[in-house]
Amino acid sequence: MNAQYDVVIVGAGLVGLSLAPALARTGLSVALVDRGSISDVDSDTEGFDARVYAVSPGSAAFLRAIGAWQALRCERVAPIESMHVWGDGGGSIEFSAYDLGERALAWVLEERELRAALLRTVRRATVELIGNATLDAIAWSASAATLKLADGNRFDARLVIGADGARSWVRQAAGIVAEPKPYGQTAVVANFACERAHHGRAFQWFRDDGGVLAWLPLPARRISMVWSAPDALAQSLLDENSETLSARVAAAGHHALGALECIGSSAGFPLRFLRLPTSVALRLALVGDAAHGVHPLAGQGVNLGFGDAQTLAAVLAERGPVSDAGAPVLLERYARRRAEPVLAMQAVTDGLARLFGPPTPWLKSLRNAGISAVDRLPLLKRALAQPALR
Ligand SMILES: Cc1cc2nc3c(=O)[nH]c(=O)nc-3n(C[C@H](O)[C@H](O)[C@H](O)COP(=O)(O)OP(=O)(O)OC[C@H]3O[C@@H](n4cnc5c(N)ncnc54)[C@H](O)[C@@H]3O)c2cc1C
């Protein structure tokens, strides 16, 4: 087979799945390729997925525009109505959706639910789905890129989009060299039933070992935990049975919601930082984790990816007389529009991770005093919250 498309997206993760229908609407011919199968997930299970996302109101609006938000089951979506953050030495700050004029600071969604909704949207759009594909090579030329598969098939594309995650093969094939930098931390995730109602509150504790513990509300009396812990501590948490893990997590969160009971199993994700010199090259654009890596302490990884997808789709929709989807002028426009929001989010998340890293006493006093001071300045607080909301 030697097919031709305007755009070939490599990677059917959440970001690739959101970009494909957004691009199909602009009249471009689109193929979505993944090394795994691009099949429906069973979202009708009773249990809760350990992997959850805090989806910002800005991302929710994008998902609504492509028709995916409407496909979510509302009983599996939990709003974060307020968020309380504690420093490692008595400082604290609280954000409230009500004060910021929002219905929710973010919406907590399970990966499985979000994926199922996006797959339904992709299936309704005019997108060629090519699963279980092993990419062998890409030949870049001035007029097109040719993707060669291990089974001998070839696709020509005016534009290749790398949505293939942090260790992006497409990025390497384009010669953009960057090694994700380990934080020396692993995010341990698990869900818990809690003794007391959370009332839509999210909790976050910066710990004096440099780690960050977050509890996000799930529907009813349940929470999802993301504990970004130094690797050795993370491993000890992952080795615990569910009773001991529940007791350790409840104690680390000062029993803010009473006793906890682990539901389902825990999982660990090594954390890495990635900053690239560029997110575009000849006939290439990178989106999602292929384009940037951030610490999950602000829960912004997938939101940045949805921002990439939304911006790239908008740039291609507004292409006017430019018929070539891979025209340098369009790719440069995309890169320019994403540079500032990505850099700003990386500076904030990486900066916070570093600020709370060292146990130096004077720095500890300063950072905790700083947090509490910001809490007393509503305008500054609002300014800090805006990028995360959008
Ligand atoms: C513990 C943890 C908690 C997080 N919590 C949040 C949160 O609350 N909110 C938030 O916004 N973000 C969060 N994130 C970040 C978020 O998970 C990622 O930013 C997001 O999943 C990236 O999506 P993606 O589609 O870019 O990449 P991926 O999800 O990695 O998808 C990549 C896809 O590409 C495919 N692929 C890879 N290589 C190839 C290849 N060679 N050929 C073909 N296909 C290929 C893969 O099969 C996969 O389908 C969290 C991250 C962690 C680790």
Side-chain angles (χ1 to χ4, degrees):
M1 188 167 81
N2 195 355
Q4 294 187 345
Y5 299 96
D6 288 312
V7 181
V8 171
I9 304 169
V10 180
L14 297 179
V15 176
L17 284 171
S18 71
L19 179 57
L23 286 181
R25 284 165 168 230
T26 71
L28 296 168
S29 56
V30 179
L32 178 60
V33 181
D34 201 283
R35 63 181 172 194
S37 75
I38 311 177
S39 55
D40 288 325
V41 279
D42 180 12
S43 67
D44 283 331
T45 49
E46 281 297 301
F48 278 76
D49 192 346
R51 185 100 195 238
V52 306
Y53 296 97
V55 173
S56 70
S59 294
F62 168 57
L63 294 173
R64 197 172 297 116
I66 60 169
W69 193 257
Q70 299 83 328
L72 292 165
R73 292 182 297 167
C74 41
E75 70 273 19
R76 302 295 282 240
V77 182
I80 300 181
E81 293 176 14
S82 63
M83 177 159 191
H84 206 145
V85 183
W86 287 269
D88 56 346
S92 79
I93 185 167
E94 191 155 10
F95 295 94
S96 142
Y98 181 81
D99 290 348
L100 293 166
E102 297 281 343
R103 165 70 187 88
L105 293 173
W107 304 89
V108 182
L109 288 171
E110 297 156 73
E111 159 136 315
R112 196 169 54 208
E113 280 290 313
L114 194 46
R115 196 173 164 76
L118 283 166
L119 270 165
R120 246 170 270 153
T121 311
V122 168
R123 291 199 187 288
R124 281 199 302 266
T126 319
V127 174
E128 185 79 28
L129 298 180
I130 303 159
N132 301 312
T134 306
L135 286 167
D136 239 8
I138 307 183
W140 309 94
S141 79
S143 59
T146 304
L147 293 97
K148 297 170 188 162
L149 271 63
D151 61 10
N153 285 325
R154 286 162 178 257
F155 307 121
D156 288 334
R158 307 288 273 177
L159 172 64
V160 175
I161 298 175
D164 53 344
R167 299 217 161 267
S168 171
W169 178 87
V170 173
R171 189 176 69 218
Q172 279 178 28
I176 301 175
V177 184
E179 256 314 290
K181 230 171 47 215
Y183 272 109
Q185 292 184 349
T186 298
V188 179
V189 298
N191 294 335
F192 298 87
C194 42
E195 189 185 2
R196 293 208 289 272
H198 51 61
H199 300 296
R201 276 178 96 193
F203 302 79
Q204 190 166 44
W205 294 270
F206 285 87
R207 295 164 49 83
D208 50 17
D209 59 9
V212 188
L213 170 65
W215 292 357
L216 303 175
L218 286 176
R221 285 194 185 190
R222 298 185 194 91
I223 55 162
S224 161
M225 172 198 78
V226 182
W227 189 338
S228 307
D231 289 332
L233 172 61
Q235 193 52 54
S236 81
L237 293 166
L238 289 166
D239 290 341
E240 296 288 17
N241 64 35
S242 62
E243 253 170 56
T244 331
L245 177 66
S246 305
R248 285 182 70 178
V249 172
H254 310 279
H255 302 280
L257 294 172
L260 299 182
E261 184 194 338
C262 188
I263 45 176
S265 49
S266 57
F269 301 91
L271 300 181
R272 301 187 185 94
F273 176 80
L274 176 68
R275 182 175 291 158
L276 296 180
T278 175
S279 58
V280 296
L282 178 71
R283 305 230 158 255
L284 170 79
L286 297 171
V287 293
D289 278 14
H292 36 68
V294 292
H295 194 287
L297 66 87
Q300 290 301 321
V302 87
N303 289 307
L304 274 184
F306 287 145
D308 297 340
Q310 184 174 20
T311 304
L312 186 52
V315 165
L316 292 180
E318 296 156 7
R319 64 190 179 279
V322 184
S323 61
D324 178 356
V329 63
L330 299 177
L331 300 184
E332 277 155 24
R333 201 172 292 163
Y334 161 70
R336 256 197 323 273
R337 286 199 198 166
R338 289 310 288 158
E340 198 262 15
V342 169
L343 196 66
M345 191 52 74
Q346 285 190 320
V348 169
T349 52
D350 193 49
L352 279 172
R354 282 176 201 287
L355 180 65
F356 281 87
T360 326
W362 68 266
L363 190 55
K364 185 168 170 171
S365 312
L366 191 67
R367 65 198 174 209
N368 282 279
I371 291 183
S372 298
V374 173
D375 194 40
R376 292 190 291 273
L377 298 168
L379 287 179
L380 180 56
K381 225 160 93 166
R382 176 178 286 269
L384 281 176
Q386 282 309 323
L389 292 170
R390 299 290 149 242

